[in-house]
Amino acid sequence: MDIFTTEIIWQAIGFIALFFVFLAFKETNDRKLIVYLAIGSGIWGIHFSLIWLIAAAAVNFFDVGKNLIWLKYEKNNYWVSFFIVSYLIIWIFTYNHTWNIASFLPTLSSIIWAVAVFWFRWIPLRLLLLSTLWIWLIYNLIGGSYAWIASDIALTWATLYGIYKLKYNPEKSSS
C-alpha cells in the first residue's frame, strides 16, 4: 500500500469519527451527547494513533472511559480530580516522548471538557465544549489532521445549532 492510499485511509477513519461526534454536538439530550462522544473518541483515538499524534490519541482513548464514567457518576469531585490529574500525566508522558509543546493543547481541552461534562448541563455545557473545539482546531492545524479540522468547523456549527434548539425548544430537551 502506498503512502497516498494509507493517508486516505487514516483520514477516512477521522471522518467516520466526525459523523459520531457531529451527532453528539447537535444533540439536546445530554446523555445521548455523551454516548456519541464516547464512540467518536474511540474512533478519533484510532485516527490519531495512525497519524502519530500521540497526545491526541492518548487523550481520546482516555476520553472513552471518562465519558462512560460520567453516565454513572455525574457531579463527582473525585472523578473530576482523577481525570484532571490523569490528563496532566498523559501530557507529561507524551511531551517527554515528542518534545512538542503543542501536545499540551489536547490536555487543556480535555481538562475543560472534564469539568464541563461533570458539572454543567444544557447551554453552559455546550458553550464550554465550543471552547474546547477551538483549542483542538489550533492543535489540528499544527498537526495536519484534515478530518479533525473539518470536524472542528462542522462541530462549531452543530454546537451552535444545539444551543439554538435548547434555547428555543427547551421542552424537547432532557438530561
Side-chain angles (χ1 to χ4, degrees):
M1 194 177 299
D2 66 22
I3 192 75
F4 181 73
T5 304
T6 304
E7 175 81 13
I8 290 172
I9 291 169
W10 298 340
Q11 298 298 343
I13 291 169
F15 283 104
I16 293 167
L18 169 59
F19 171 75
F20 284 100
V21 179
F22 184 80
L23 290 176
F25 277 76
K26 70 172 201 55
E27 186 59 57
T28 57
N29 179 297
D30 289 349
R31 293 186 73 76
K32 287 181 183 178
L33 177 139
I34 298 302
V35 169
Y36 285 137
L37 286 177
I39 295 167
S41 290
I43 299 169
W44 280 124
I46 294 166
H47 166 78
F48 283 123
S49 294
L50 293 173
I51 62 173
W52 293 97
L53 292 175
I54 303 305
V59 162
N60 273 278
F61 284 132
F62 200 71
D63 280 351
V64 173
K66 178 200 67 215
N67 291 335
L68 296 176
I69 286 170
W70 172 86
L71 291 171
K72 184 169 171 98
Y73 300 102
E74 296 179 45
K75 297 193 177 192
N76 184 302
N77 282 336
Y78 167 77
W79 282 110
V80 171
S81 300
F82 170 78
F83 286 114
I84 289 171
V85 169
S86 297
Y87 286 125
L88 290 171
I89 291 169
I90 289 170
W91 177 69
I92 291 167
F93 176 77
T94 57
Y95 179 75
N96 284 334
H97 286 79
T98 64
W99 298 100
N100 181 352
I101 194 69
S103 66
F104 184 70
L105 294 171
T107 303
L108 176 61
S109 179
S110 295
I111 289 170
I112 293 168
W113 171 232
V115 171
V117 77
F118 277 92
W119 284 102
F120 294 90
R121 296 292 167 267
W122 290 39
I123 293 173
L125 170 66
R126 283 149 183 86
L127 290 173
L128 285 167
L129 294 179
L130 200 55
S131 73
T132 68
L133 289 173
W134 297 330
I135 294 168
W136 274 105
L137 177 62
I138 294 166
Y139 180 76
N140 289 300
L141 287 168
I142 294 167
S145 172
Y146 307 122
W148 197 300
I149 292 167
S151 171
D152 294 329
I153 294 165
L155 294 178
T156 294
W157 288 108
T159 303
L160 293 171
Y161 175 71
I163 290 169
Y164 172 83
K165 282 180 22 179
L166 280 171
K167 184 167 176 65
Y168 295 105
N169 296 312
E171 69 280 352
K172 292 185 179 182
S173 307
S174 63
S175 293

